[in-house]
């Protein structure tokens, strides 16, 4: 990887049902963000270790293929998921 490149590691834990979202669809997702060494950065899931109590938790609305502020690679991963799917 070159300077500024990121590496997104994904493992499918449970396959969802139904169609994948189309570009422009709004989905709700929960996520835990960690560095490759496992160091915790942020989570939308309540009760995850090291989550500050003053940070709001709960699903986040995300427009597939539209929101450029999301983590590089996350849009492609969410676009390929189905409702109820779980990735690690």
């Amino acid at each position: 990887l070159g300077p500024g490149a990121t590496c997104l590691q994904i493992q499918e834990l449970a396959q969802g049902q139904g169609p994948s979202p189309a570009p422009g669809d709004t989905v709700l997702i929960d996520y835990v963000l960690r560095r490759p060494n496992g160091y915790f950065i942020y989570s939308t899931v309540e009760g995850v270790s090291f989550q500050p109590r003053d940070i709001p938790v709960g699903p986040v609305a995300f427009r597939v293929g539209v929101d450029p502020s999301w983590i590089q690679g996350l849009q492609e991963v969410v676009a390929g998921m189905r409702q109820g799917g779980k990735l690690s």
Side-chain angles (χ1 to χ4, degrees), residues 7-55:
C7 180
L8 191 61
Q9 298 176 348
I10 304 295
Q11 177 184 11
E12 188 170 42
L13 301 176
Q15 195 173 56
Q17 300 294 319
S20 296
D25 284 352
T26 299
V27 297
L28 293 176
I29 63 170
D30 275 310
Y31 64 93
V32 177
L33 183 60
R34 296 181 184 273
R35 292 186 178 152
N37 66 0
Y39 182 83
F40 175 83
I41 297 173
Y42 178 79
S43 174
T44 63
V45 180
E46 187 172 359
V48 172
S49 62
F50 306 111
Q51 177 74 5
R53 293 180 190 255
D54 61 340
I55 303 281

Side-chain angles (χ1 to χ4, degrees), residues 47-78:
V48 172
S49 62
F50 306 111
Q51 177 74 5
R53 293 180 190 255
D54 61 340
I55 303 281
V57 294
V60 176
F62 171 73
R63 288 190 61 208
V64 178
V66 176
D67 192 344
S69 67
W70 278 78
I71 299 164
Q72 182 181 3
L74 183 59
Q75 294 209 33
E76 292 83 6
V77 170
V78 171

